[in-house]
Amino acid sequence: MSMNMHQKDQIGATLIIFLVTLFVVILPFLNLSFLLTSLLFLTFFAFIILQINLRWGFFLFLILRPILDFSSEMPLFEVGKISINLASLLGVMIISTTLLRIPSNMALLKKAPLLKYWLGFTLILILGTAISFNKTTSISELIRMLTIFSFFILGFIVTRTKKDAFQIAKVILISTMIPLLVALYQLITDSGLTLSYQDVPNRLFGTFAHPNLFAFSLTFSIALSLVMFLVSKKSSRKWFYGLLLLVFTFFLAQTYTRGAWILFVFMILSAGFLKLHKLLVFFVVIFFALYMIAEPVKDRVNSITTLSPYSSISWRFNLWQDAIVYAKEAPLLGHGTGVAEELIQERRGLQLGSPAPHNDFLKILLENGIVGLLAFVAIFASLSKILFSYFLSEIRSKKTSNLSFLVLIFLCFALGLYAASFGDNVLKATALQWSFWAQAGGIMAIIRKK
């Protein structure tokens, strides 16, 4: 056993030396800006830490992903037709690390809830890549989905105690800080995204590629700050997390992302009805105040119920009707992993607006057919069932542990995530998906033991 450990250390040290040498040799040929070079150094440093200490490297990757989201449109180099950016490089690093860790944790992973559903969905994604009309796009999407699966696996592996599960939550909150500071700068300098055709002023996006991606990540930070507020015993910590909760909510409002607002409202309402009745009353007052005071917020909310021919709701309905027709052409296995946008653009053109499906279930149906959709739904259905069963067992035992608060809020957030996925591209929010499934892995590890 000691010999095996010694051999693993030697292999790890050799790998690190090789990567450092390769990095030093290749870097001068990339011709990158100072910002990208600095972020590349930081990414490489995180990968070294990941090889030395899985837990701390895992945490560092969670913190880095939101910071690097904007770089998804800034390629470092190309491998064939595939463009590699910092975010995708981070993904390749996490997949390779996960694959190396699986053999030594096989006995543990066999007991992981949801694993068989994730494996089934992954096999369907691989099949979808094989039959795709655009292999390059499909490979990129397959790799992205594998990074999400990897964070579920690593979250499960690194979590041994309830403290570990809450530590993941704290790291996710930390990961929001730098995007929040950048969003504050955008708010002060009026340098956010302004959509003149929708009359939406200064939409904040932080370090993310789009305000919607920032907004969905903020909703998860709101959920976790609420958890930490509920479980904190010291009044100073309660004040801190309560203030953090309000700050996140304020910045969420400034993104003007209705899908994220729906997710937030759904989470609060469901948590309020299930257990947190005082919280429900408090946030109903907050929602009403924001609606009455902030005119842009009122306009965005009103537009949800406005079914004029030019509203975004009517546009979505038209898009979905067309997309369902395309899905019927390949109902069983779909057109290929990750090709939904390309398919819609090819058939509808850009003159009718964004080719993104704005419905994750429809996206999966288009790309991987009915088989893929059933596998996708099975993951979320199984997750919800496990979380709800645990929450019911806590109620029956008349106990209110810290973990029960985490499970409750996470369950409500997950249900809200499903609801938002019917009207937005939530699956495309990679930073949120990394955090969500890392936390899911941690929670599943503790529930399995209980």
Side-chain angles (χ1 to χ4, degrees), residues 141 312-313 315-324 326 338-345 348 353-367 420-428:
E141 178 67 3
S312 62
I313 304 300
W315 172 82
R316 277 175 167 81
F317 285 146
N318 292 330
L319 170 65
W320 296 340
Q321 286 175 352
D322 291 342
I324 288 172
Y326 313 149
V339 300
E341 286 193 33
E342 186 176 349
L343 179 67
I344 292 172
Q345 181 177 329
R348 298 182 92 232
S354 169
H358 288 76
N359 184 320
D360 286 336
F361 300 97
L362 183 57
K363 165 185 159 64
I364 298 297
L365 182 63
L366 275 169
E367 296 175 354
S421 295
F422 276 101
D424 225 316
N425 308 302
V426 180
L427 198 57
K428 195 175 180 180

Side-chain angles (χ1 to χ4, degrees), residues 389-401 404:
S389 296
Y390 179 83
F391 176 69
L392 284 180
S393 69
E394 289 282 293
I395 292 178
R396 288 168 185 153
S397 64
K398 297 182 179 180
K399 294 178 181 178
T400 307
S401 64
S404 67

